Amino acid sequence: MANPLYDTLFGAHVGRASPFLHLPDGSTISYGAFLESAAQIAHVIIGLGLSAGDRVAVQIEKSPQALAVYAACAQAGLVFLPLNTAYTTDELTYFIENSGAALVIVDGGKRDALAPVVEGLGARVETLNADGSGSMTDKAGQAPRQFDTVSRSEDDLAAFLYTSGTTGRSKGAMLTQANLLSNAQTLAREWQFTVEDVLLHALPIFHTHGLFVATNVTLVAGGSMIFLPRFDLDQILEQMPKATAMMGVPTFYTRLLDDPRFTREAAAHMRLFISGSAPLLAETHVQFEKRTGQRILERYGMTETNMNTSNPYEGERRAGTVGFPLPGVELKITDPETGEALPQGEVGLIEVRGPNVFKGYWQMPKKTAAELRADGFFITGDLGQMDADGYVSIVGRSKDLIISGGYNIYPKEIELVLDEQDGVLESAVIGVPHRDFGETVVGVLVPRAGASLDTDGIMEKIKKPLARFKHPRRLVVVDSLPRNTMGKVQKNLLRDAFKELFA
Ligand code: MCA
Ligand code: AMP
């Protein structure tokens, strides 16, 4: 095949009159029309002088046109680099610089702030707004509706997704066509997606979950999506009768359960509810079954690996577990010290190998070598256990990571910013249980001798460097941080001390 990713996900549907996207206003976009707009965007991008392998960074609101940029990149052999819409200009500057993006597509409202930075780096800027308007759309409107697909191989890069790191510097995970394609095909088969499926899609499309899992699985099956701009309970409940399946982070399910309108009848026609990106509490699983008579299917993945494990479609979906390794994915539990595989039942690091595992971190060979073994096993940093029946459970993390409402937040990145604030001697950032987001961020600050800290002023100052979802929901001032004999901050003690704040 000339371009496996495009040909399989998109090319197979060229000219199809059947619906691909159902929009909240009741309108529908057919596969044929969607792919024509993607082809037009591909013309514009190539016309700007980009060629195969170049990176296209996008920070745009979720819209059909935004998704068409993804399809256009696949067709033109470009590397798609989606960025969280919450990122600040400071954060974006790093991603654009680090990736060497040749084109940056942003919301019109952000153009002026970003243009000097982007142009200073020799890249182009185009705009695409939430309503689909913008310079990209204006130019695309003049372009032909067919585009000659650029040849690519399975080993070529299809996407960069930035994931934060324990050192505070984000890393660009390089995903190949084969990584994305193999996983989408496996998931569509395992979860029995067909052309009849209508997926209720309320996730953002700048992360693996909403983009590669939800969208690619639908494309492989040739089904359609109810494409909502964000998770809004009223809209979800209004649209659910038209859907057959939903994918979400645990917060979606706890919010649904908190709403009395979500009844057994409201869910009765749905064939599948899937959860991932963060731990689904066994309690949520049980409550959901009590309310709807259906069991949520929980699966586990990472940006670097796409999906690794899933509970079964047929068979027992076991609460508190993430199911079995997917077909083609090898999973072992290893001793964190020696890297040796541990006997069944013991807790250790989860390592995975398979066609889903990424190629490495962009221009970070040392970090790649530290996490991706020469034999192809990727060290996830998640601590897990496999029971006698083969079900995998995630019991903790060896990496210092907070997952808030499905967004990953690395404490180090926030600590670096807090440490720079006036009067702060040092800081520790921890995750504490949160009734809506699962976990949330608390910043623990130690003042310099004689200083008194203005926590409101600090909250104001961190707005520039850090996206809103990373902001601590509380700043607490203490005299000193608890340390072990090696001098390491004992975050477990801090987590314990503040565990009731948002529970
Ligand atoms: C919004 N805010 C958040 C979050 N979302 N703060 C912390 N954590 C969050 N996740 C901020 C808002 O900016 C707002 O700020 C305030 O919190 C309240 O927002 P609210 O209206 O309650 O939030 P929302 O807009 O309803 O969003 C919550 C959400 C959303 C629906 C849970 O965060 C979401 O869609 N999360 C999904 C993330 C996801 O797709 N993760 C997958 C990545 P202010 O106070 O200024 O108003 S992980 C992945 O892809 C791996 C591979 C995997 O396994 O899937
Ligand atoms: P990301 O960096 O956004 O790719 O997030 C990946 C991390 O999310 C994993 O390493 C896990 O820690 C976590 N994760 C994803 N799915 C689940 C799940 N079902 N249960 C618990 N943690 C999960």
Side-chain angles (χ1 to χ4, degrees):
M1 266 198 263
N3 181 328
L5 186 73
Y6 180 81
D7 296 346
T8 312
L9 295 187
F10 302 104
H13 305 298
V14 170
R16 257 181 78 191
S18 46
F20 173 44
L21 301 177
H22 308 275
L23 304 179
D25 66 3
S27 63
T28 289
I29 299 176
S30 69
Y31 268 101
F34 175 80
L35 292 169
E36 282 182 4
S37 67
Q40 291 182 305
I41 294 171
H43 275 291
V44 177
I45 300 180
I46 294 303
L48 292 170
L50 276 78
S51 56
D54 282 344
R55 273 78 61 206
V56 177
V58 304
Q59 192 200 36
I60 45 185
E61 294 296 335
K62 184 177 174 183
S63 68
Q65 291 81 2
L67 199 60
V69 175
Y70 165 51
C73 287
Q75 189 166 23
L78 300 157
V79 180
F80 185 62
L81 196 174
L83 294 160
N84 193 322
T85 45
Y87 287 147
T88 63
T89 305
D90 287 11
E91 288 166 319
L92 288 181
T93 305
Y94 169 80
F95 297 124
I96 296 164
E97 201 167 10
N98 183 267
S99 65
L103 170 65
V104 182
I105 309 177
V106 290
D107 192 273
K110 291 214 169 149
R111 194 191 184 286
D112 288 350
L114 263 180
V117 176
V118 177
E119 282 158 7
L121 293 167
R124 309 289 298 255
V125 195
E126 296 292 340
T127 60
L128 185 55
N129 305 317
D131 64 1
S133 63
S135 65
M136 181 50 88
T137 317
D138 293 344
K139 290 180 185 169
Q142 317 294 317
R145 292 169 191 277
Q146 265 159 24
F147 178 86
D148 289 337
T149 304
V150 172
S151 250
R152 295 260 90 186
S153 80
E154 282 207 335
D155 221 24
D156 283 321
L157 295 183
F160 272 18
L161 253 57
Y162 274 83
T163 109
S164 297
T166 41
T167 55
R169 269 190 84 210
S170 287
K171 305 164 283 185
M174 299 187 287
L175 294 153
T176 65
Q177 290 213 347
N179 293 151
L180 304 184
L181 207 47
S182 65
N183 213 237
Q185 286 168 328
T186 301
L187 296 174
R189 222 175 18 247
E190 289 295 296
W191 297 339
Q192 302 194 10
F193 271 78
T194 72
V195 76
E196 304 296 332
D197 270 304
V198 182
L199 181 74
L200 192 47
H201 192 304
L203 289 157
I205 52 168
F206 44 70
H207 278 312
T208 299
H209 197 164
L211 186 64
F212 301 141
V213 183
T215 305
N216 287 357
V217 164
T218 303
L219 285 163
V220 164
S224 61
M225 301 193 279
I226 300 173
F227 206 57
L228 304 179
R230 55 184 288 276
F231 183 87
D232 174 90
L233 258 180
D234 292 343
Q235 232 172 23
I236 292 279
L237 289 163
E238 186 191 315
Q239 299 291 337
M240 196 176 281
K242 298 175 211 148
T244 62
M246 186 173 104
M247 295 185 194
V249 297
T251 302
F252 284 23
Y253 294 107
T254 51
R255 287 186 181 183
L256 275 170
L257 285 171
D258 279 345
D259 194 311
R261 293 174 295 171
F262 183 59
T263 58
R264 180 176 282 253
E265 292 67 45
H269 67 288
M270 293 284 280
R271 80 168 179 87
L272 186 58
F273 290 95
I274 300 177
S275 177
S277 307
L280 183 78
L281 296 179
E283 185 196 319
T284 311
H285 191 97
V286 170
Q287 271 184 22
F288 195 90
E289 186 174 11
K290 235 187 195 165
R291 177 84 64 91
T292 65
Q294 302 200 40
R295 291 173 87 90
I296 298 174
L297 185 154
E298 187 173 6
R299 61 34 169 207
Y300 155 64
M302 282 187 79
T303 300
E304 290 90 334
T305 63
N306 292 293
M307 298 304 101
N308 296 313
T309 72
S310 173
N311 268 282
Y313 186 77
E314 314 271 13
E316 188 194 351
R317 298 177 194 165
R318 205 171 276 186
T321 82
V322 292
F324 309 115
L326 287 164
V329 177
E330 293 171 78
L331 183 147
K332 58 182 182 178
I333 310 284
T334 61
D335 183 323
E337 302 300 323
T338 63
E340 294 298 319
L342 290 167
Q344 182 269 312
E346 289 194 21
V347 173
L349 273 173
I350 299 178
E351 297 194 25
V352 292
R353 178 166 71 180
N356 54 318
V357 174
F358 77 143
K359 218 172 176 166
Y361 297 114
W362 170 247
Q363 291 183 337
M364 290 187 180
K366 278 198 191 131
K367 284 195 194 299
T368 302
E371 293 178 39
L372 189 57
R373 294 187 192 279
D375 65 4
F377 271 98
F378 177 68
I379 308 166
T380 61
D382 291 309
L383 294 170
Q385 185 177 31
M386 194 184 274
D387 73 13
D389 299 327
Y391 285 85
V392 176
S393 308
I394 298 172
V395 299
R397 301 176 203 128
S398 70
K399 49 194 174 192
D400 192 12
L401 164 69
I402 299 166
I403 306 184
S404 165
Y407 286 149
N408 284 11
I409 300 166
Y410 279 84
K412 187 76 191 167
E413 188 184 354
I414 304 164
E415 288 162 1
L416 289 172
V417 173
L418 291 176
D419 289 348
E420 281 176 5
Q421 304 306 314
D422 283 348
V424 175
L425 176 68
E426 59 174 352
S427 65
V429 166
I430 52 166
V432 298
H434 187 276
R435 63 191 86 84
D436 185 30
F437 289 141
E439 267 186 301
T440 197
V441 182
V442 169
V444 184
L445 304 174
V446 179
R448 289 184 186 284
S452 76
L453 294 180
D454 167 16
T455 49
D456 290 345
I458 293 176
M459 284 304 291
E460 203 46 44
K461 287 266 185 56
I462 65 174
K463 282 187 183 163
K464 189 170 175 287
L466 295 173
R468 170 72 183 127
F469 69 89
K470 300 177 190 171
H471 295 181
R473 295 295 148 136
R474 188 74 57 86
L475 287 177
V476 192
V477 181
V478 297
D479 292 338
S480 62
L481 297 174
R483 291 198 138 82
N484 65 14
T485 47
M486 309 289 286
K488 197 170 178 297
V489 176
Q490 291 169 299
K491 288 197 170 178
N492 54 330
L493 297 183
L494 292 173
R495 279 192 287 265
D496 204 46
F498 298 113
K499 66 173 186 251
E500 304 291 348
L501 277 182
F502 300 95

